[in-house]
């Protein structure tokens, strides 16, 4: 095997080395490494962004004030050795030439390593930063509040540059990449789990919990029963996998549905495009792609709940004191945050947890019955748990930021 290291001309302050790996079927895998001279941090308006990228391993800082091509060449040779590459042709392409070369070659790009998407992400953040700065100067907000997500990164960093205080909120146990990049530019970092506080800067961390949709607290059990067409002679199990549904959870539930229906009536929120037409009309079972208006009533009707372990979802379930079984998204398909969320709730006595890899039909059915049989202990634990007035707490922080500017 061999690959081609392409030295991409600097874009602003950054230099990049792009690697193309020939693969079967005429496709190429592409990923990139970014480099920045350390002294450039002193003279660039993007210094905060670059420091965040360096701390996350997105870019490599090279000594001095000029691009250190010796370091870059050594890096390419190290990569060649890492991938047991015998031949390492190194061609210096300018950025425009690279794009033309790839297009003319008719190459099909596939994700590999840092991926094609990650190659463009840093430049998108830079572009977003300059656009956000213009917008903030125009709007002149007193405070920026960010709930996370990559689109917020340039806005929070631009807010610091414009001397506008930014408050960010992390719902999960461990901060995601977007919030990690935002933390240096934030004045306060709100978090949801007690365990998260120790991993945040002491002068910024505030345990606020997660805001709960207040309408969920006002459900009508009988209205939910009428909506589903259920009777009052069996308990109700609700399966909810988020707005997009959870395909593997759907499959597991449908496999054991005949046995489940012997003891439960089942509400199945299965996600868009994930309905099973063959199950329509099954007595004691209703399925919906998505529910909004009636959701408070369905929660009120449900005796136990099965859910993924996204932070917002499990905090709502806990606030409603619904005994629950959490099936977190596998670490193979995520950064593992749902597993940490679920284990925290399990430790507090709020939830039972089954990870996807350990699920069998028999084990899932047995766990659901255990959950229902011990439902009162879970209800008591959630009732005794410290319920934070998250909305009031966060609004107070925002008001403090506004007053501190005056």
């Amino acid at each position: 095997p061999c690959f081609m290291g392409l030295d991409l001309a600097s874009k602003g302050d950054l230099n990049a080395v792009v690697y193309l790996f020939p693969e079967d079927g005429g496709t190429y895998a592409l990923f990139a490494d970014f480099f920045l001279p350390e002294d450039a941090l002193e003279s660039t308006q993007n210094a905060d962004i670059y420091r965040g990228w360096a701390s996350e391993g997105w870019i490599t800082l090279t000594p001095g004030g000029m691009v250190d091509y010796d370091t870059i060449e050594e890096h390419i040779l190290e990569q060649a050795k890492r991938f047991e590459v015998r031949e390492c042709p190194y061609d210096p392409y300018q950025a425009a030439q690279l794009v033309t070369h790839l297009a003319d070659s008719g190459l099909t790009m596939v994700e590999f390593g840092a991926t094609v998407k990650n190659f463009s992400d840093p430049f998108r953040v830079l572009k977003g930063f300059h656009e956000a700065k213009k917008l903030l100067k125009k709007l002149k907000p007193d405070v920026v509040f960010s709930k996370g997500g990559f689109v917020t990164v340039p806005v929070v960093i631009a807010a610091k540059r414009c001397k506008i205080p930014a408050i960010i909120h992390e719902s999960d146990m461990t901060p995601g990449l977007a919030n990690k990049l935002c933390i240096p530019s934030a004045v306060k970092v709100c978090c949801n789990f007690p365990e998260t506080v120790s991993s945040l800067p002491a002068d910024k961390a505030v345990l606020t919990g997660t805001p709960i949709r207040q309408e969920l607290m006002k459900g009508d059990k009988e209205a939910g029963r009428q909506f589903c067409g259920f009777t009052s002679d069996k308990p109700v199990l609700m399966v909810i996998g988020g707005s997009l549904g959870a395909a593997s959870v759907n499959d597991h539930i449908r496999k054991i549905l005949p046995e489940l229906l012997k003891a439960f009536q089942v509400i199945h929120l299965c996600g868009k495009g994930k309905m099973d037409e063959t199950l329509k009309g099954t007595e004691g079972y209703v399925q919906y792609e998505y529910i909004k208006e009636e959701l408070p009533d369905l929660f009120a009707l449900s005796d136990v709940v099965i859910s993924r372990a996204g932070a917002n979802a499990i905090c709502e379930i806990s606030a409603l004191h619904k005994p629950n079984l959490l099936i977190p998204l596998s670490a193979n398909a995520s950064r593992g945050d749902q597993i940490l969320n679920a284990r925290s709730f399990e430790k507090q006595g709020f939830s039972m947890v089954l990870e996807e890899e350990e699920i069998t039909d028999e084990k899932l059915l047995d766990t659901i019955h255990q959950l229902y049989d011990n439902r009162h202990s879970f209800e008591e634990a959630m009732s005794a748990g410290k319920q934070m007035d998250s909305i009031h707490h966060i609004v107070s922080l925002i008001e403090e930021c506004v007053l501190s500017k005056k």
Side-chain angles (χ1 to χ4, degrees), residues 145-301:
F145 179 76
S146 163
K147 195 65 175 64
F150 218 77
V151 71
T152 68
V153 174
V155 181
V156 172
I157 295 174
K160 181 181 180 182
R161 181 57 54 86
C162 296
K163 294 183 169 46
I164 299 169
I167 298 172
I168 62 178
H169 186 283
E170 177 55 60
S171 299
D172 290 314
M173 175 90 78
T174 57
L177 177 57
N179 269 346
K180 282 183 180 179
L181 293 173
C182 288
I183 286 171
S185 300
V187 295
K188 293 294 178 184
V189 183
C190 305
C191 60
N192 188 25
F193 292 89
E195 298 94 328
T196 310
V197 175
S198 60
S199 65
L200 298 172
D203 61 331
K204 296 185 178 184
V206 184
L207 181 62
T208 61
T210 286
I212 303 299
R213 293 177 286 177
Q214 295 304 294
E215 63 268 24
L216 290 181
M217 316 299 288
K218 302 172 184 176
D220 183 325
K221 183 175 183 177
E222 289 308 314
R225 197 187 310 279
Q226 290 181 22
F227 181 77
C228 295
F230 284 173
T231 62
S232 57
D233 59 343
K234 283 184 184 178
V236 175
L237 165 69
M238 181 158 73
V239 182
I240 180 168
S243 60
L244 298 178
S248 64
V249 175
N250 291 345
D251 292 341
H252 287 304
I253 290 297
R254 285 164 179 156
K255 283 180 184 176
I256 63 170
L257 189 59
E259 287 299 315
L260 269 182
L261 291 176
K262 291 178 182 178
F264 298 94
Q265 298 170 101
V266 178
I267 302 169
H268 192 173
L269 306 185
C270 50
K272 187 175 181 180
K274 296 182 175 69
M275 300 261 286
D276 186 336
E277 298 299 323
T278 66
L279 294 174
K280 279 193 171 180
T282 300
E283 187 176 352
Y285 173 79
V286 290
Q287 57 182 335
Y288 307 101
E289 287 190 333
Y290 181 72
I291 288 288
K292 185 177 180 181
E293 299 297 331
E294 297 83 6
L295 186 60
D297 298 338
L298 300 192
F299 265 122
L301 176 62

Side-chain angles (χ1 to χ4, degrees), residues 297-310:
D297 298 338
L298 300 192
F299 265 122
L301 176 62
S302 301
D303 296 284
V304 290
V305 176
I306 296 177
S307 174
R308 282 296 196 195

Side-chain angles (χ1 to χ4, degrees), residues 2 44 79 83 157 182 211 262 303 311 327 375 403:
C2 70
T44 175
Q79 292 283 44
F83 291 102
I157 295 174
C182 288
K262 291 178 182 178
D303 296 284
I327 304 177
R375 63 193 181 280
L403 292 173

